[in-house]
Amino acid sequence: MEAKRDGVRQLPARPTGRVELPRDIWLVCKAKSAPSGAESWHARGLLVSAPRRGVRWLGSMREKLSDREYSVLADVGRFKLLSGKQVQRLHFSDHATSETAARVCRRVLRRHTETGLLTRLERRIGGVRAGSAGAVYQVSGLGHRLLSPPDGRRRSSEPGLAFVTHTLAIAEVYVLLVEAQRTGLLELLGVQTEPTCWRHFTGALGQRDVLRPDLFVVLGIGADEWHWFVEVDCGTSHRPAIRAKAEIYRRYLSSGVEQHATGLFPGVLWLVPDLARREQLDHTLRPLDVLPAGLFSVALHDEAVDGLRGAPP
């Protein structure tokens, strides 16, 4: 029966079979297979509003992070992406066994993702069988705010496969150099990633120009200090693009900017994925006789340390 209250018709309360959800959750997918007149919803399509993290929360979180936890976050931010295995090799090599290192690394990465400082990409390197070591991480907008508050908030999105492959290959050069330093092969005196390693200069005709290497490193080998620009090639750039990049190096060399700042011009090491690509780059770069002999060298990705130490590839 109907009832009236204050002149408004009321219906008797009765169970409807529907689930009442908090106001900050929205169901976004209705089942097409539901019977006519029935409402059936998929619970997998949920959008949950995240709580806002203010300056006070960021300051508190920054204080709670250990030096190693902060370094993990900072390295992921510096290289844009790092795999779980790369994080383990960089920051958890001091454990007695690799199993212990992997377990502690997973715990730190899980804590960072649960607090919203890191996000894990859907794509894994090496496929599903690679497990957590193949997971790829990037700093979230919240993580960028914690690392560099003056820069404001940046939004992180799922990058494409080509970007992931190239970015992880650049990071791998750094990981190999850190591991070589631990064994005493070299001293890693300085590393600049993009865009810090880019060089802005004025061309011969007064135009503004920019050189965009993938990495810049300074190594201590014995009593010598070696400066290198590193180009990480994944086999996707065509010959005209390689020649164009070499031409920018020629213009930057002619500008004298680097020589004035440091007293020398760095060598340029091109890292390639396989022997066929190395031969292709050799043929592309060799005819460029306008450049000083020995300015460019080519090595395989896994020969990066030998190439940067000056050993023959």
Side-chain angles (χ1 to χ4, degrees):
M1 288 181 66
E2 295 181 357
K4 287 188 178 182
R5 178 181 298 174
D6 298 330
V8 179
R9 187 172 60 181
Q10 300 286 329
L11 294 177
R14 61 178 180 177
T16 62
R18 300 177 185 177
V19 178
E20 295 295 331
L21 295 172
R23 293 187 64 185
D24 60 348
I25 300 180
W26 296 271
L27 289 167
V28 296
C29 181
K30 188 174 182 179
K32 294 181 179 179
S33 58
S36 176
E39 290 183 347
S40 176
W41 301 85
H42 289 304
R44 61 188 175 88
L46 296 181
L47 297 176
V48 183
S49 62
R52 290 185 61 82
R53 306 296 193 184
V55 175
R56 184 176 299 178
W57 183 92
L58 290 171
S60 174
M61 177 57 65
R62 196 178 293 111
E63 291 295 326
K64 291 178 182 178
L65 294 179
S66 67
D67 290 343
R68 179 158 60 179
E69 289 171 336
Y70 186 87
S71 296
V72 168
L73 188 66
D75 271 349
V76 178
R78 182 159 61 146
F79 287 94
K80 301 184 181 70
L81 300 172
L82 283 179
S83 70
K85 186 64 175 179
Q86 288 175 329
V87 172
Q88 178 183 330
R89 290 161 61 195
L90 283 174
H91 296 285
F92 299 90
S93 64
D94 55 345
H95 291 277
T97 65
S98 59
E99 290 79 8
T100 303
R103 184 171 63 253
V104 178
C105 179
R106 286 196 300 269
R107 185 164 63 241
V108 170
L109 290 172
R110 182 169 61 249
R111 187 181 304 127
H112 279 338
T113 54
E114 288 175 351
T115 55
L117 299 176
L118 290 179
T119 58
R120 186 170 57 192
L121 304 189
E122 295 181 4
R123 179 180 291 107
R124 290 177 181 266
I125 299 300
V128 177
R129 294 185 178 181
S132 59
V136 180
Y137 297 85
Q138 67 178 346
V139 175
S140 67
L142 185 65
H144 280 298
R145 288 172 58 199
L146 186 143
L147 288 171
S148 52
D151 292 340
R153 183 176 182 178
R154 305 181 194 177
R155 295 188 178 275
S156 303
S157 57
E158 185 83 10
L161 177 60
F163 179 85
V164 172
T165 302
H166 185 240
T167 303
L168 292 180
I170 296 171
E172 182 65 17
V173 177
Y174 174 68
V175 176
L176 291 172
L177 289 175
V178 170
E179 291 176 333
Q181 179 174 242
R182 290 179 187 144
T183 62
L185 285 176
L186 52 84
E187 187 179 358
L188 190 53
L189 301 177
V191 177
Q192 292 179 354
T193 58
E194 297 180 286
T196 308
C197 64
W198 294 356
R199 301 294 194 262
H200 297 265
F201 63 100
T202 302
L205 301 178
Q207 80 279 13
R208 297 296 298 166
D209 211 340
V210 57
L211 172 70
R212 294 181 174 89
D214 292 322
L215 202 63
F216 173 74
V217 298
V218 181
L219 307 178
I221 302 176
D224 298 325
E225 187 175 293
W226 295 46
H227 293 219
W228 288 96
F229 290 124
V230 180
E231 295 288 343
V232 179
D233 176 83
C234 293
T236 57
S237 298
H238 298 294
R239 287 188 178 184
I242 299 295
R243 294 194 187 97
K245 193 62 172 288
E247 169 62 18
I248 297 177
Y249 274 106
R250 184 197 66 77
R251 295 200 300 269
Y252 185 53
L253 173 65
S254 300
S255 74
V257 172
E258 192 79 17
Q259 299 92 308
H260 178 74
T262 64
L264 54 83
F265 193 84
V268 182
L269 178 65
W270 301 74
L271 295 173
V272 296
D274 51 51
L275 293 174
R277 184 63 172 176
R278 185 172 75 180
E279 183 177 357
Q280 186 181 30
L281 253 70
D282 279 335
H283 290 164
T284 303
L285 298 172
R286 191 179 303 134
L288 302 176
D289 52 6
V290 296
L291 294 169
L295 176 63
F296 294 141
S297 56
V298 184
L300 300 181
H301 285 180
D302 56 6
E303 297 171 342
V305 172
D306 287 338
L308 293 170
R309 291 180 67 241

